[in-house]
Amino acid sequence: MSTDVTLTLVVNGRRRRVRVPPMKRLLDVLRQDLGLTGAKEGCGEGECGACSVLVDGLSVCSCLVPAVQAEGAKIVTIEGLARGRRLSALQQAFIDLGGAQCGICTPGMLITASELLRRCRGRVPSDPEVREALAGNLCRCTGYQKIVDAVRAAARSAATRREGRR
Amino acid sequence: MFSYAACAVEVECDLDTGETRVLKVTTAHDIGTVIHPVLAAGQIEGGIVQGLGWALLEDVRWKDGRVWNHQLTNYIIPTSSDTPPIDVEMVEVAFDGGPFGAKGVGELPMDVPAPAVVAAIAHATGRRVSEIPVSPERLLQALSERA
């Protein structure tokens, strides 16, 4: 007799149905049941932010969210930031400015940065403001400099203002 | 064949809590010809921040031959909030013996921040701490000695 539950999640704009143990981590549901391996397990204890996804617009550590808690939520993963093959302004800025080295923190950084830019509504956040917003996403490679530069560059770019939400 | 680096930091020390904040980092590196400026600067920025972590936050604790603080919860590495803007200058002098005039950059950036931070703390407080990381406890200890 299975103790699994059937859950419906809206992931990157699509309704997805999964049958999983109720306390399975959202991170594992995304990676294993939905094949969305963009979110990474950096620590498994909510410290590093490599597993960050947007849940109803807020960047959260998916390693800390039990599947049942995500029922009915609107989830956006790194795979959902681009529109088809068109990268978001943030993604393009990271490429242009060298904001990624090994890339493990990058999905989480982009998720948290996209929440920040949406909150800013077209305003360019200050350097300290970006650093504080990203404080929950650890990076060991870059020293954060080019990540912060990329986030502010994306905020400045016309494409971001045109796109509105990203 | 040697690569060279210099680093200056500006710090602010809280004499009540023993906390040190790094306000600014400026570093100059001579790594020969810089083949890829963005990647090279990125490597330096990353190494500088690792060095700042070593200087102020990262303390490996051992117990019975094992690392006691082996999680990110208890081994503290710098966040973006702990990290100031970093100014990287390249002193570019082509080196005959290297490919396209390049030398090496990999591990060099980590060597300079900790001595710079200790020197800056000494400049700010008059106390030269002899162990890193200069945790709040260690700085408060140093401040309470030889008044």
Side-chain angles (χ1 to χ4, degrees), chain B residues 4 6 27-34 88-94 103:
Chain B
Y4 299 92
T27 184
H29 276 57
D30 162 15
I31 59 172
T33 301
V34 179
V88 177
E89 298 290 326
M90 300 293 194
V91 178
E92 210 165 339
V93 181
K103 295 192 282 185

Side-chain angles (χ1 to χ4, degrees), chain A residues 42-43 45 47-48 96-98 100-101 127 130-146 148, chain B residues 37-39 41-43 45-47 49-50 53-54 58 71-81 83-87:
Chain A
C43 70
E45 51 188 30
E47 287 286 341
C48 75
D96 295 341
L97 296 179
Q101 287 182 33
D127 186 285
V130 175
R131 287 176 189 274
E132 186 171 323
L134 294 179
N137 291 85
L138 297 181
C139 175
R140 197 55 160 167
C141 296
T142 67
Y144 305 107
Q145 186 63 52
K146 291 173 179 358
V148 173
Chain B
V38 174
L39 288 185
Q43 177 66 16
E45 287 153 4
V49 173
Q50 261 186 268
W54 196 9
E58 299 180 36
Q71 299 162 274
L72 287 173
T73 333
N74 45 32
Y75 183 80
I76 310 301
I77 71 171
T79 69
S80 54
S81 202
T83 305
I86 300 161
D87 205 349

Side-chain angles (χ1 to χ4, degrees), chain B:
Chain B
M1 187 269 280
F2 295 97
S3 297
Y4 299 92
C7 180
V9 306
E10 202 178 305
V11 304
E12 193 172 72
C13 297
D14 187 319
L15 301 180
D16 294 321
T17 64
E19 277 178 279
T20 300
R21 271 197 81 70
V22 183
L23 303 177
K24 189 173 180 193
V25 179
T26 303
T27 184
H29 276 57
D30 162 15
I31 59 172
T33 301
V34 179
I35 293 173
H36 194 307
V38 174
L39 288 185
Q43 177 66 16
I44 291 169
E45 287 153 4
I48 290 289
V49 173
Q50 261 186 268
L52 293 180
W54 196 9
L56 292 169
L57 299 169
E58 299 180 36
D59 198 1
V60 180
R61 312 298 290 271
W62 296 89
K63 188 177 160 124
D64 302 330
R66 301 172 126 180
V67 178
W68 207 4
N69 56 337
H70 59 277
Q71 299 162 274
L72 287 173
T73 333
N74 45 32
Y75 183 80
I76 310 301
I77 71 171
T79 69
S80 54
S81 202
D82 299 310
T83 305
I86 300 161
D87 205 349
V88 177
E89 298 290 326
M90 300 293 194
V91 178
E92 210 165 339
V93 181
F95 171 64
D96 307 350
F100 305 100
K103 295 192 282 185
V105 65
E107 295 182 3
L108 174 63
M110 270 204 75
D111 295 340
V112 283
V117 168
V118 171
I121 291 173
H123 187 235
T125 66
R127 300 285 190 268
R128 187 165 289 269
V129 182
S130 60
E131 223 181 328
I132 56 173
V134 186
S135 62
E137 293 87 345
R138 286 196 177 124
L139 183 54
L140 289 175
Q141 177 69 31
L143 287 167
S144 72
E145 287 165 1
R146 309 182 278 112

